[in-house]
Amino acid sequence: IAGYHLLLLLLLPAFIKHFHWSALVLLGVTYILSGFAITAGYHRLFSHRSYKASPIFESLNLFFATLAIEASALQWSNDHRLHHTHVDTAKDPYNIHRGFFHAHIGWLFVNDSTINDRNVSDLKKNPRVMFQYNNMLALSLISNGLVFAIGCLFMHPIAAFVGGILLRVFFIHHCSWFINSLAHMWGSKTYAKEQTAVDNGILA
């Protein structure tokens, strides 16, 4: 995580030098695809089971989510279900009571990534979820490699790499992490006032 932030910082001057408007198009399109896959797929479909989806829709969500590089749907759902089960307690992976930094990003460095089989028993029965879980690295390399290759058709490789991958991952990560941090600090408490979670239209 620190590495790609540093790489992004180092490559920004070269990105500006080789900037092309199509880099913004690539950034926008891939941000929407990967962001939708996280919020509609990882969060609402797999973690909360808020709705049912066809195998094709599930597969598309699982593939585009690999662009975000936010772990597999199985791992993400495991952590998120733990968060809701133990919200605002010591067992909450991104407990806001441990401070903004911990809730935002610090938890990633101290979190026990062990998957609780009982916690995600339903997802372990889903062959598409398990395929993504078992092939996460390869799928992430393929999806991001395709974006880079497509970008190189229209712009300088530096612009394609920074605009199509680094900037998008940066924005996706921090927008997701803000849900764990700012969305437990800044907003209105419409429903469960005893919890730190708030409603925030901007973050939503």
Side-chain angles (χ1 to χ4, degrees), residues 46-89:
F46 296 115
S47 293
H48 289 293
R49 311 303 294 174
S50 301
Y51 62 97
K52 293 181 179 180
S54 69
I56 293 175
F57 186 83
E58 283 189 359
S59 298
L60 288 172
N61 267 275
L62 289 166
F63 179 73
F64 287 127
T66 63
L67 286 168
I69 314 178
E70 285 194 17
S72 66
L74 189 70
Q75 182 71 63
W76 203 101
S77 299
N78 178 76
D79 295 341
H80 194 67
R81 288 177 180 182
L82 285 174
H83 163 66
H84 277 283
T85 303
H86 306 289
V87 66
D88 297 338
T89 70

Side-chain angles (χ1 to χ4, degrees), residues 159-200:
F161 182 61
V162 176
I165 298 177
L166 288 181
L167 272 175
R168 185 233 315 138
V169 170
F170 174 84
F171 286 127
I172 282 290
H173 280 183
H174 284 282
C175 283
S176 295
W177 297 336
F178 277 140
I179 302 301
N180 302 334
S181 55
L182 280 183
H184 283 262
M185 299 175 67
W186 174 41
S188 59
K189 293 187 179 182
T190 310
Y191 300 105
K193 298 182 185 299
E194 74 280 2
Q195 297 182 359
T196 59
V198 296
D199 297 325
N200 187 303

Side-chain angles (χ1 to χ4, degrees), residues 6-179:
L6 179 61
L7 186 60
L8 176 58
L9 187 64
L10 293 173
L11 291 178
L12 273 179
F15 175 68
I16 294 170
K17 178 182 178 181
H18 298 290
F19 179 79
H20 191 274
W21 65 269
S22 56
L24 295 181
V25 175
L26 188 64
L27 170 62
V29 170
T30 56
Y31 177 86
I32 290 170
L33 289 173
S34 55
F36 185 85
I38 294 296
T39 189
Y42 276 20
H43 187 204
R44 290 174 174 82
L45 175 60
F46 296 115
S47 293
H48 289 293
R49 311 303 294 174
S50 301
Y51 62 97
K52 293 181 179 180
S54 69
I56 293 175
F57 186 83
E58 283 189 359
S59 298
L60 288 172
N61 267 275
L62 289 166
F63 179 73
F64 287 127
T66 63
L67 286 168
I69 314 178
E70 285 194 17
S72 66
L74 189 70
Q75 182 71 63
W76 203 101
S77 299
N78 178 76
D79 295 341
H80 194 67
R81 288 177 180 182
L82 285 174
H83 163 66
H84 277 283
T85 303
H86 306 289
V87 66
D88 297 338
T89 70
K91 292 183 179 180
D92 180 353
Y94 20 95
N95 180 7
I96 192 62
H97 292 307
R98 294 184 63 181
F100 174 87
F101 181 80
H102 174 83
H104 190 71
I105 191 172
W107 71 276
L108 292 165
F109 302 101
V110 297
N111 183 48
D112 179 6
S113 60
T114 303
I115 292 176
N116 184 322
D117 290 344
R118 290 180 61 189
N119 195 32
V120 288
S121 59
D122 57 324
L123 297 179
K124 296 199 81 169
K125 296 173 184 176
N126 186 317
R128 292 166 293 283
V129 169
M130 294 310 297
F131 178 82
Q132 188 218 39
Y133 174 72
N134 291 319
N135 299 279
M136 188 62 191
L137 177 60
L139 290 171
S140 293
L141 290 173
I142 290 169
S143 62
N144 284 284
L146 284 172
V147 169
F148 177 69
I150 292 170
C152 287
L153 297 175
F154 303 98
M155 67 196 88
H156 191 280
I158 290 291
F161 182 61
V162 176
I165 298 177
L166 288 181
L167 272 175
R168 185 233 315 138
V169 170
F170 174 84
F171 286 127
I172 282 290
H173 280 183
H174 284 282
C175 283
S176 295
W177 297 336
F178 277 140
I179 302 301

